[in-house]
Amino acid sequence: MKTIKKILIANRGEIALRIMRSARELGIKTVAVYSEADRDALHVRYADEAVFIGEAPSNKSYLVMTNIVDACLKTGADAIHPGYGFLSENAGFASKVAEAGIIFIGPSPNAIDIMGNKLTAKAAALKFNIPMVPGTEEAIEDVIEAKARAIEVGFPILIKAAAGGGGKGMRIVEHVGDFEEQMALAVSEATSAFGDGSVFIERYVTSPRHIEIQILGDTHGNILHLFERDCSVQRRHQKVVEEAPSSILTPEKREKMGKCAIDVARSVNYTGAGTVEFILDENLDFYFLEMNTRLQVEHPVTELITGIDLVKEQIKIAQGEPISFKQDDLKINGHAIELRVYAEDPDNNFLPDIGTLETYITPKGPGIRVDDGFEQGMEIPIYYDPMIAKLITYGKDREEAISRMERAIDEYQITGITTTLGFGKFVMQHEAFKSGNFDTHFVKKYFQTGLLNNDNESDAEIAAIVMNTLLNENQIILPNNETVESNWLKNRKE
Ligand code: MV4
């Protein structure tokens, strides 16, 4: 047991701030690292200390292991929290950190390594009889052999890259006649993307729900699950809306999946926070896909329904404390929904938008949490993820969480940059989403350019820009503030 006094956060943006907030509540000092593009970023201002680590491109800064370890040694931080993305699932980094005598806030390098490859992950999970989609348990090299197996499994099948992530190196094969060609494409895609051409096959589940289970494991052998998140609403493997609990799980299925997720974690003696990913088919049968060995973007929905601060738990586990609660102490309370707000244009094929946040006013009031890393006047750097914020709402039930999300989207004022807020409103108002009857094809199935009602938005945008200029520059004292404001609100709602 070693008490952590100072944590270096090897990340940026909203997640760096999120981690620092929990560290501060625990009385732990924080060290930020920053690139050239992030000199004025909020995570730098929030931290007790900040260290410059390189140029704007992440391979010159946030991905340079030695710079980060050096920053840690220089500032005397005892531990590194990697956040998500960047070096968070890099087993080599976790090892380097440990070799430097620094605590890595996360699982062991071995657990990261095994779960970082879908085939070794499946092999580990197989010891516990975890349901998996029928297919091959090993990498397939011989095309003839692979094709024979595909025929046994039955079409459509899915060819997946063992080293893959985010849908890269995945090919659906509808007919046996296309198999050779698709396999060659999958191997070459995997080789160029991951430097590892190993692929395997699975039966393709055509309309899956994506459900993941949050896990916590400590260094004393305790592993608990914190229920599920439903992440089925996604667009090209980028999650858009996540919620907890899932509207389709029964208490029995939830318990079964929770037990399986704990077993998957146990198969690698998992420590820290992790997520076990499953898909559910049309019969609601579930299959293990992979495990993510990091804190996830969508962790807040789990925090809101369980009352557990996952970052605090990660820190306590990293300093050797046993988890302070038992599985039976955990209960689902209410419902939480997260909308990822991206700097992207839904009317232009979700093309990333760049620019300055001319107006940036976040929604407030009951049941709202906004995890962001920007303030009005800031620019969204082009070098990193285009996510501006995570808008999370909580309610006593799913209906209340949805109506709060709709209100929060209406209150959120962003000008200067096109965002996916209007698209989020579209999802919330859609019958399929409201009824809970949707799968991973929701966006492809229901959304097309032109469906968003932008007229009002542009009115609101103009009104907000005018208001903002007047108020900011203090040139004019509005004679009747109330009238102006109510007209402006009216414009937005009509
Ligand atoms: C699948 C699948 C259907 N059948 N595996 C996509 C990313 C990776 N985590 C696994 N993925 C899928 N694996 C079988 N056998 C469908 C997907 C999939 C998907 C899964 C979860 C969330 C969104 C998705 C979007 C498209 C495809």
Side-chain angles (χ1 to χ4, degrees):
M1 244 235 350
K2 182 178 185 291
T3 313
I4 297 173
K5 295 197 185 69
K6 196 191 269 192
I7 296 175
L8 180 141
I9 295 89
N11 216 300
R12 63 179 302 284
E14 67 88 16
I15 196 62
L17 277 162
R18 160 73 194 89
I19 294 160
M20 288 176 197
R21 289 192 161 110
S22 286
R24 185 166 288 182
E25 286 179 27
L26 290 173
I28 297 170
K29 296 279 182 213
T30 56
V31 180
V33 291
Y34 63 97
S35 72
E36 191 63 51
D38 281 337
R39 284 194 180 279
D40 303 319
L42 289 185
H43 78 278
V44 177
R45 272 196 258 154
Y46 193 94
D48 296 301
E49 292 168 78
V51 182
F52 176 75
I53 51 161
E55 291 170 45
S58 46
N59 61 353
K60 299 274 173 68
S61 48
Y62 296 107
L63 289 172
V64 184
M65 302 187 203
T66 50
N67 289 6
I68 289 163
V69 172
D70 286 350
C72 209
L73 297 173
K74 195 167 94 182
T75 54
D78 334 283
I80 293 184
H81 195 306
Y84 56 72
F86 296 131
L87 297 168
S88 61
E89 292 180 281
N90 187 314
F93 179 62
S95 301
K96 265 198 169 59
V97 170
E99 281 159 24
I102 303 160
I103 296 171
F104 180 78
I105 302 177
S108 67
N110 180 57
I112 299 175
D113 199 35
I114 292 173
M115 291 306 172
N117 180 291
K118 290 178 183 168
L119 281 171
T120 49
K122 283 178 107 173
L126 217 54
K127 291 181 277 185
F128 284 89
N129 248 335
I130 309 294
M132 288 185 226
V133 189
T136 54
E137 254 91 72
E138 272 155 39
I140 40 169
E141 263 134 46
D142 186 274
V143 181
I144 306 295
E145 218 174 285
K147 191 164 150 182
R149 182 70 189 127
I151 293 166
E152 270 173 35
V153 168
F155 286 84
I157 62 124
L158 189 57
I159 307 175
K160 292 185 175 183
K168 271 209 193 103
M170 254 176 42
R171 316 289 304 197
I172 301 166
V173 191
E174 302 277 356
H175 311 286
V176 64
D178 303 331
F179 188 83
E180 273 104 335
E181 189 189 347
Q182 291 300 318
M183 181 162 159
L185 285 168
V187 170
S188 103
E189 215 170 292
T191 308
S192 66
F194 314 110
D196 174 359
S198 4
V199 297
F200 61 101
I201 61 176
E202 282 180 357
R203 197 192 81 218
Y204 178 55
V205 178
T206 49
S207 306
R209 283 291 269 238
H210 172 143
I211 294 187
E212 55 186 36
I213 308 279
Q214 177 68 53
I215 286 294
L216 280 177
D218 65 22
T219 52
H220 305 268
N222 305 302
I223 306 181
L224 312 179
H225 75 84
L226 285 83
F227 314 109
E228 77 279 6
R229 295 183 287 260
D230 192 322
C231 310
S232 300
V233 181
Q234 54 83 45
R235 192 193 148 265
R236 298 196 183 170
H237 304 291
Q238 190 188 55
K239 290 168 185 166
V240 177
V241 172
E242 302 103 339
E243 62 180 313
S246 168
S247 55
I248 56 159
L249 287 196
T250 58
E252 294 73 36
K253 182 122 329 187
R254 176 171 295 122
E255 196 181 324
K256 257 195 189 155
M257 290 182 76
K259 287 212 163 98
C260 278
I262 289 171
D263 282 342
V264 170
R266 202 173 296 289
S267 75
V268 292
N269 297 317
Y270 198 86
T271 55
T275 298
V276 182
E277 211 180 287
F278 296 93
I279 47 174
L280 267 71
D281 66 15
E282 45 293 328
N283 304 321
L284 303 186
D285 288 329
F286 65 89
Y287 308 96
F288 167 65
L289 285 187
E290 55 193 273
M291 182 170 189
N292 302 315
T293 58
R294 59 168 190 276
L295 180 73
Q296 300 223 173
V297 174
E298 60 271 25
H299 77 275
V301 293
T302 300
E303 296 188 318
L304 291 176
I305 63 151
T306 59
I308 304 291
D309 182 323
L310 288 169
V311 175
K312 280 186 189 165
E313 295 305 320
Q314 286 185 296
I315 295 170
K316 292 198 243 174
I317 289 165
Q319 58 185 15
E321 287 181 42
I323 299 169
S324 65
F325 45 87
K326 305 259 170 303
Q327 188 66 55
D328 283 346
D329 298 333
L330 294 170
K331 292 272 167 321
I332 296 175
N333 278 303
H335 199 98
I337 302 178
E338 173 177 285
L339 170 68
R340 298 194 192 184
V341 184
Y342 291 103
E344 290 175 351
D345 185 0
D347 278 329
N348 196 1
N349 201 25
F350 293 85
L351 209 73
D353 195 30
I354 49 163
T356 303
L357 292 164
E358 301 293 351
T359 316
Y360 185 74
I361 300 166
T362 56
K364 292 170 179 66
I368 290 179
R369 166 172 167 180
V370 180
D371 282 19
D372 60 7
F374 295 104
E375 270 178 352
Q376 187 159 291
M378 284 183 172
E379 254 178 62
I380 312 281
I382 55 167
Y383 300 98
Y384 316 108
D385 192 80
M387 194 175 77
I388 300 171
K390 304 187 305 206
L391 172 55
I392 309 125
T393 61
Y394 174 81
K396 62 182 187 304
D397 52 27
R398 191 167 186 269
E399 288 64 43
E400 190 172 57
I402 292 175
S403 53
R404 282 201 165 132
M405 182 63 82
E406 293 178 49
R407 165 179 66 85
I409 292 169
D410 288 345
E411 279 186 29
Y412 218 138
Q413 296 174 49
I414 304 180
T415 66
I417 286 175
T418 308
T419 77
T420 54
L421 272 173
F423 174 70
K425 186 85 181 279
F426 166 84
V427 176
M428 292 303 130
Q429 291 178 328
H430 200 282
E431 187 43 42
F433 184 76
K434 280 205 188 292
S435 67
N437 179 22
F438 57 90
D439 58 38
T440 55
H441 304 299
F442 178 92
V443 181
K444 195 168 59 190
K445 233 191 250 172
Y446 301 119
F447 182 72
Q448 67 207 50
T449 301
L451 280 183
L452 301 185
N453 183 1
N454 280 327
D455 285 2
N456 298 338
E457 264 189 2
S458 46
D459 278 358
E461 205 163 283
I462 293 161
I465 289 168
V466 172
M467 279 275 285
N468 200 45
T469 311
L470 295 177
L471 295 172
N472 263 2
E473 297 180 1
N474 230 357
Q475 288 168 326
I476 302 169
I477 294 160
L478 297 172
N480 188 342
N481 207 337
E482 259 176 75
T483 314
V484 172
E485 198 160 65
S486 61
N487 274 337
W488 169 77
L489 272 175
K490 207 172 111 239
N491 281 337
R492 301 197 72 212
K493 298 257 155 70
E494 273 168 5

